[in-house]
Amino acid sequence: ITHVWYDFWCMPQKQDKDSDDRTPTELVEFTSMLSCIADLYLTTSILILLDGSYLGRFWTMMEAWCSMQVTTPEGVRACQSDAEKRYAIKCIWNADEEFDAPKLVKKLSTKTPQEVHDILSSPDVVLTNQKDKELMLPVVVKTHEHVKDLFVRADDLAAQRVDRRLPEAPPLHGVRVVLIWIRNTQQP
């Protein structure tokens, strides 16, 4: 493991639950990261630390579903083999390896974006900040279109690179790299 993403450490968090003490710069950074968070979970390897409350929390289920999908030019689809699998489940505390891990996979792995949207919008799926749910549910339901658009943009950028003799993209794999490379090449 060379990189670890843990949202609480990596995204500017409120220190006080009753007021937002982040600076304007931290708020912009947080909002920007939040709008792209699904891309991270759609493209990297994920360690799921499954506990008894996991299947009742918005962020954990959204992140798990994303990690169980494969990005393609046609959108997303469920992993179909161990070679495509990007997630590992480790049960902690009272979670049961034999019962809870398969339940999580059965509940989320083959769902479409609309089906996951419907699960996540249920009132028994909780999160600390209700605004996050309002922001992220439209992102979840548009996952197919978003991923298709990224592949088109990557193809367009590759064509521009050839036409303009731009530097090669980094020798990495997946949509994650394309996103990073697009962002880096579009900055002044």
Side-chain angles (χ1 to χ4, degrees):
I1 297 174
T2 57
H3 297 90
V4 175
W5 167 266
Y6 179 62
D7 64 352
F8 190 80
W9 294 336
C10 298
M11 297 175 71
Q13 303 289 322
K14 293 191 301 187
Q15 300 303 311
D16 181 1
K17 68 176 183 168
D18 296 324
S19 66
D20 198 335
D21 56 348
R22 293 173 287 191
T23 67
T25 301
E26 288 173 331
L27 284 170
V28 168
E29 186 178 276
F30 181 85
T31 303
S32 177
M33 288 178 173
L34 194 62
S35 69
C36 298
I37 198 76
D39 294 339
L40 180 68
Y41 290 100
L42 282 167
T43 57
T44 59
S45 298
I46 305 297
L47 172 61
I48 296 171
L49 298 175
L50 180 62
D51 67 6
S53 68
Y54 200 96
L55 284 169
R57 298 194 329 260
F58 179 87
W59 282 111
T60 54
M61 285 200 298
M62 190 209 76
E63 294 159 1
W65 174 75
C66 287
S67 75
M68 295 174 183
Q69 304 302 299
V70 174
T71 58
T72 73
E74 293 76 37
V76 294
R77 64 167 173 77
C79 296
Q80 296 174 344
S81 68
D82 284 343
E84 291 181 337
K85 188 174 156 186
R86 295 178 296 99
Y87 64 92
I89 301 172
K90 174 68 179 150
C91 289
I92 58 174
W93 299 314
N94 291 321
D96 184 302
E97 237 12 270
E98 198 174 326
F99 174 74
D100 293 315
K103 180 179 177 182
L104 173 66
V105 173
K106 182 178 180 184
K107 181 174 185 84
L108 297 174
S109 67
T110 61
K111 300 298 188 235
T112 66
Q114 182 62 56
E115 290 169 328
V116 170
H117 170 278
D118 295 346
I119 291 169
L120 295 175
S121 63
S122 176
D124 67 340
V125 175
V126 297
L127 71 166
T128 306
N129 186 346
Q130 189 63 29
K131 261 177 44 180
D132 290 354
K133 201 176 213 183
E134 295 164 9
L135 177 70
M136 293 308 295
L137 284 173
V139 170
V140 170
V141 83
K142 295 177 183 173
T143 303
H144 276 310
E145 291 74 22
H146 173 68
V147 169
K148 286 192 260 187
D149 181 59
L150 291 176
F151 274 90
V152 168
R153 288 175 52 202
D155 288 345
D156 290 347
L157 189 57
Q160 288 176 20
R161 182 178 37 79
V162 170
D163 292 345
R164 293 190 205 161
R165 299 176 197 248
L166 294 173
E168 290 290 323
L172 301 170
H173 307 286
V175 173
R176 172 182 56 88
V177 174
V178 172
L179 288 173
I180 292 166
W181 195 71
I182 288 171
R183 286 188 190 122
N184 289 341
T185 60
Q186 291 181 349
Q187 293 177 359

